[in-house]
Amino acid sequence: MNDALNNMNIESLKFFGKVNASISHELKNILAIISETAGFLNDLTELAKQGKELKLSLLENCSNSIAEEIQRGFTTIKQMNRFSHSVDAPVMDVDLLDILDLMIGLTGFLSFAGKVRIEDKDQKLETITTCPFLLQNLIYRILCFAYECAGPEGEIRLRLSPEKGKGILLTVLNSAQMPVEKFPDEKIKQTAELLGVEFKKNDSFYELNLLIPYVCDKIKELEKNQ
Amino acid sequence: MKILLVDDEQKFVNMLAKRLALRGIEADVAYTGEEALKKAESAVYDVAVLDIKMPGISGTQLKRKLFTLHPSLNFIFVTGHGAVEKSEADGSEKDIYLSKPLDIDFLIETVQELTQTR
């Protein structure tokens, strides 16, 4: 158990670093667009000084583009902030939809990320008592596995079905076949074990099912010690 | 001089191409590796400016394919990450790595150096 926990700590740190690196990459892309657009505006100003006609539509396009990128930057920073606060306490009551939404956003920065949508996003779900950081780690890895199978044109759907008194069944539906025999890998298995997440076997190559408990003994123990 | 700019950040490459055009440098843009390969089949470029991390064909894989088509083509990798990616791209000393955001004057200087010395 201690070895498993040590491994988890190392893996958790790696996960934290990986996500932060992808956020910084996204922010650099945003700044690069703003920088090029500002540079282009500067180029246009220099041309105007030389007597060249300045098209207002070009200025409008540039200001719209900058505004869009600033909005993209705000969204990214909000996601970064939500992710950072997921380590505030080892155990918290969380809304699974919120966690999925954040992980879709953060995995979206990866070059191999495909399209993902959550079915019935407006449904009201009971909160789950869990370690949010580890649950994020688990979902992030599962989404990465699904993206790698789906390819850039693929589509992934996430379905949430409450199971009374037990937890929430998360079904990952992929437009492409998944090598389900390779799932879950050792890292996913270890994280799932700590969270009490149970993988449900099925015969389809297109779906993965995992039951995320409302609470489990290991989490209760962790909660007691926090 | 003709440059091929490849990046899935469409606004970034479009704006860069416009700014290069204002400086008298012709630049084609491609948003994916596949699109870049199609362009390279019908045109000759002096320098390819590639993003490393792209959906589908990565910048590193694209470089190998473009090099097969045009062995004299020069490459510049542009990335949102830092210098750490040098090892990810194949570590070739011939390639230049620039970090975003770009300094257009430095980019042009680099392109000119590459085309003059090779």
Side-chain angles (χ1 to χ4, degrees):
Chain A
M1 184 66 190
N2 278 344
D3 282 351
L5 277 174
N6 281 340
N7 280 340
M8 272 318 301
N9 288 339
I10 294 167
E11 288 307 321
S12 294
L13 209 52
K14 277 188 190 169
F15 169 63
F16 202 75
K18 186 179 178 174
V19 171
N20 277 309
S22 71
I23 292 170
S24 73
H25 180 243
E26 177 74 0
L27 290 173
K28 270 198 161 192
N29 273 330
I30 293 166
L31 289 175
I33 294 170
I34 294 174
S35 168
E36 286 311 319
T37 312
F40 184 59
L41 283 171
N42 203 36
D43 293 345
L44 293 179
T45 310
E46 288 304 317
L47 288 172
K49 280 183 194 166
Q50 291 162 26
K52 297 258 167 66
E53 192 196 348
L54 193 57
K55 285 187 185 165
L56 285 179
S57 61
L58 277 179
L59 295 183
E60 200 179 5
N61 287 346
C62 288
S63 78
N64 287 341
S65 173
I66 290 174
E68 279 170 20
E69 290 310 308
I70 289 172
Q71 195 49 52
R72 181 178 161 197
F74 276 137
T75 305
T76 306
I77 288 168
K78 267 189 213 162
Q79 288 168 329
M80 183 180 164
N81 188 268
R82 281 166 70 192
F83 179 65
S84 304
H85 282 296
S86 67
V87 290
D88 285 353
V91 178
M92 284 190 249
D93 289 339
V94 297
D95 181 339
L96 188 54
L97 277 164
D98 277 349
I99 299 239
L100 288 179
D101 181 59
L102 180 59
M103 289 305 104
I104 291 170
L106 294 177
T107 53
F109 303 150
L110 301 169
S111 59
F112 56 90
K115 286 181 205 145
V116 199
R117 78 182 163 86
I118 303 173
E119 291 183 353
D120 197 7
K121 217 178 165 181
D122 297 327
Q123 66 177 312
K124 289 275 169 269
L125 295 168
E126 271 182 60
T127 57
I128 52 176
T129 306
T130 191
C131 171
F133 182 69
L134 282 183
L135 183 60
Q136 286 174 354
N137 190 334
L138 179 74
I139 289 169
Y140 191 95
R141 284 183 194 281
I142 290 171
L143 284 176
C144 287
F145 174 79
Y147 292 144
E148 276 165 359
C149 302
E153 300 305 319
E155 197 191 359
I156 292 148
R157 285 179 293 133
L158 304 176
R159 183 180 297 155
L160 295 170
S161 326
E163 292 202 354
K164 214 176 172 185
K166 289 183 180 171
I168 299 168
L169 183 72
L170 168 63
T171 305
V172 180
L173 298 141
N174 204 327
S175 60
Q177 280 198 11
M178 294 180 280
V180 285
E181 71 283 357
K182 289 185 187 162
F183 185 87
D185 66 17
E186 209 44 50
K187 285 171 186 168
I188 290 179
K189 217 186 276 178
Q190 276 183 1
T191 314
E193 209 180 292
L194 288 170
L195 293 165
V197 169
E198 189 188 323
F199 293 100
K200 301 255 180 184
K201 287 271 172 212
N202 67 77
D203 296 329
S204 172
F205 288 104
Y206 296 91
E207 68 175 73
L208 306 170
N209 291 289
L210 45 147
L211 182 68
I212 301 164
Y214 286 125
V215 69
C216 75
D217 290 344
K218 280 180 187 157
I219 293 294
K220 278 181 193 165
E221 203 180 309
L222 199 60
E223 199 176 22
K224 249 190 255 167
N225 298 331
Q226 81 179 16
Chain B
M1 191 195 308
K2 200 169 178 181
I3 299 180
L4 177 62
L5 302 171
V6 192
D7 198 315
D8 59 320
E9 287 289 341
Q10 302 189 5
K11 283 190 198 170
F12 172 72
V13 271
N14 288 339
M15 204 47 85
L16 193 55
K18 279 183 193 171
R19 296 190 73 203
L20 289 168
L22 288 176
R23 287 157 177 81
I25 298 171
E26 197 184 342
D28 280 350
V29 298
Y31 307 135
T32 62
E34 289 83 354
E35 204 185 324
L37 283 170
K38 270 188 197 157
K39 295 210 169 181
E41 277 169 12
S42 54
V44 175
Y45 299 98
D46 299 292
V47 179
V49 179
L50 313 177
D51 182 23
I52 294 180
K53 296 213 167 179
M54 291 186 289
I57 304 175
S58 72
T60 322
Q61 292 166 328
L62 179 61
K63 184 209 155 179
R64 285 190 209 112
K65 289 176 192 272
L66 287 172
F67 186 75
T68 312
L69 282 173
H70 303 288
S72 62
L73 186 59
N74 297 291
F75 295 93
I76 295 175
F77 286 108
V78 175
T79 174
H81 290 277
V84 69
E85 287 211 48
K86 183 164 181 171
S87 55
E88 279 180 39
D90 63 11
S92 163
E93 282 181 17
K94 279 185 179 177
D95 304 323
I96 308 284
Y97 298 79
L98 299 180
S99 182
K100 286 180 184 173
L102 284 181
D103 175 336
I104 195 154
D105 294 327
F106 186 69
L107 173 68
I108 293 171
E109 214 175 280
T110 309
V111 165
Q112 281 167 345
E113 272 175 28
L114 276 173
T115 50
Q116 279 160 16
T117 56
R118 288 172 194 182

